[in-house]
Amino acid sequence: DQQVKQNSPSLSVQEGRISILNCDYTNSMFDYFLWYKKYPAEGPTFLISISSIKDKNEDGRFTVFLNKSAKHLSLHIVPSQPGDSAVYFCAATVYTGANSKLTFGKGITLSVRP
Amino acid sequence: EAQVTQNPRYLITVTGKKLTVTCSQNMNHEYMSWYRQDPGLGLRQIYYSMNVEVTDKGDVPEGYKVSRKEKRNFPLILESPSPNQTSLYFCASSAGLAGLPRYEQYFGPGTRLTVT
């Protein structure tokens, strides 16, 4: 059972435009969410996170929005740059869980066209 | 430079031949974890360790062993590898706070394992 779903496997946008990457989750216990970016032949790198007590968190060109009632979060990248082309993983966790493990989605491949 | 290192980066082996993938971090992190990445399945946790001598199973622990004798090292052991363990493996670490890991995990570069 996929608890974190990234239903769109890929997204292509023009440089300078907005990229919106979506993520849905089913486990209502999740209260902390993260986005990771992964380039080929490298490990994932942390991008941005959000706690369930917030509905928005911003870091430069990256903003994550959380809609708890819909169990949905999205990552906005504005403006998109060719260097943003990568696989983006959404992850979720229970902040005070004994394991505190991250549950990842399958990833979305973002391509930013020059 | 703060980093997580894994060795080897690529490995081709045969069924049943024991192997170890090493993982080391230089950030004095308490929490370490192993993931595997498979097409269409994302990243799945194999084992994790909250601190030295403390390890526990993740979502897909079957066929794997780990040990945490030192804070910086967290090797992944496949006692008898099988073809279904062909995958891309990532080690990760994060700073702990009062026993709880921070979630901004640092990942190693990955080890691509092929078992024939």
Side-chain angles (χ1 to χ4, degrees):
Chain A
D1 177 34
Q2 194 79 15
Q3 297 188 65
V4 177
K5 301 178 183 181
Q6 295 179 263
N7 293 319
S8 301
S10 63
L11 175 68
S12 180
V13 300
Q14 193 74 38
E15 180 179 5
R17 305 294 289 271
I18 184 172
S19 294
I20 300 177
L21 289 73
N22 294 308
C23 177
D24 298 291
Y25 61 96
T26 58
N27 188 342
S28 59
M29 297 296 290
F30 288 146
D31 56 8
Y32 197 80
F33 305 89
L34 308 91
W35 285 92
Y36 281 81
K37 179 169 73 173
K38 184 182 179 305
Y39 292 119
E42 294 183 12
T45 54
F46 169 73
L47 191 57
I48 193 170
S49 63
I50 187 167
S51 164
S52 61
I53 62 173
K54 295 183 176 182
D55 54 18
K56 176 183 174 181
N57 189 25
E58 194 170 354
D59 184 1
R61 297 185 296 113
F62 302 91
T63 302
V64 57
F65 295 92
L66 175 62
N67 182 334
K68 289 189 292 295
S69 61
K71 295 191 178 67
H72 176 82
L73 64 156
S74 60
L75 174 69
H76 292 211
I77 306 174
V78 183
S80 301
Q81 300 173 353
D84 296 329
S85 297
V87 178
Y88 289 79
F89 291 98
C90 172
T93 189
V94 178
Y95 194 73
T96 56
N99 177 354
S100 304
K101 76 180 180 76
L102 296 176
T103 300
F104 285 85
K106 296 179 182 180
I108 301 172
T109 299
L110 173 66
S111 299
V112 180
R113 306 185 303 273
Chain B
E1 179 190 356
Q3 60 182 352
V4 178
T5 57
Q6 295 178 228
N7 282 292
R9 293 289 312 277
Y10 302 91
L11 179 60
I12 300 174
T13 189
V14 296
T15 300
K17 186 177 181 182
K18 181 179 178 181
L19 67 91
T20 299
V21 183
T22 64
C23 172
S24 183
Q25 50 92 5
N26 63 1
M27 296 166 281
N28 202 36
H29 284 168
E30 293 179 353
Y31 185 90
M32 297 186 75
S33 182
W34 276 101
Y35 295 87
R36 60 180 287 175
Q37 183 187 2
D38 300 291
L41 295 176
L43 287 153
R44 294 179 294 166
Q45 190 185 53
I46 303 170
Y47 268 95
Y48 68 96
S49 170
M50 298 286 279
N51 213 325
V52 175
E53 302 292 1
V54 180
T55 64
D56 211 341
K57 297 176 181 179
D59 294 322
V60 288
E62 295 76 21
Y64 304 95
K65 285 176 56 178
V66 293
S67 69
R68 188 92 182 272
K69 298 189 188 326
E70 304 167 281
K71 198 171 188 179
R72 62 181 292 130
N73 296 323
F74 190 44
L76 179 69
I77 303 157
L78 284 73
E79 295 270 2
S80 183
S82 62
N84 65 12
Q85 293 178 297
T86 293
S87 187
L88 180 58
Y89 292 86
F90 291 101
C91 180
S93 73
S94 61
L97 181 66
L100 292 177
R102 282 171 54 85
Y103 301 98
E104 293 82 2
Q105 294 186 15
Y106 291 79
F107 282 79
T111 295
R112 184 165 292 282
L113 171 66
T114 302
V115 183
T116 61

